[in-house]
Amino acid sequence: MALDFHRLDNNEHLFGLGDKTLHDLSDIFETFTHWTGLIIDPYGDLKLSTENQQTIIAIIEKYIEATDLNKDKVKTSNILEFKGLLKYFVKNKIDLELLGD
């Protein structure tokens, strides 16, 4: 199971999320679905605008405030790495296309 992230404008593959990282981000993605009605899952495809990426960043920031980050350092690292990637794409105004299996 994997979820690949591509640039929307030219379909360039940027990165992929494997099973463990997808599991670590599942709470973030579930909250994103509640906030937006959009579903991020490893089986579907989704276009993710910079505005939606900003929403995910906000969700991660709330998650960080409410969670003991020392409980699972690998999960915390995966979440923070994902947040950093999204911040880069937002800063550079890059919309994403998510392609599931």
Side-chain angles (χ1 to χ4, degrees), residues 29-95:
F29 293 160
E30 184 177 323
T31 302
F32 178 74
T33 297
H34 292 304
W35 285 21
T36 66
L38 300 173
I39 298 171
I40 298 174
D41 72 70
Y43 303 107
D45 299 343
L46 178 70
K47 291 177 176 58
L48 201 61
S49 67
T50 53
E51 293 81 12
N52 286 330
Q53 293 174 59
Q54 288 173 321
T55 301
I56 294 172
I57 292 168
I59 291 167
I60 291 172
E61 289 172 353
K62 286 187 174 282
Y63 178 84
I64 289 169
E65 290 174 11
T67 304
D68 180 4
L69 302 179
N70 291 317
K71 283 187 177 178
D72 187 342
K73 293 186 181 196
V74 172
K75 179 177 180 177
T76 299
S77 175
N78 285 336
I79 290 170
L80 293 177
E81 182 180 345
F82 185 67
K83 177 185 171 191
L85 288 169
L86 292 183
K87 287 182 90 166
Y88 171 82
F89 297 130
V90 167
K91 179 182 175 186
N92 290 289
K93 297 178 175 58
I94 298 172
D95 292 327

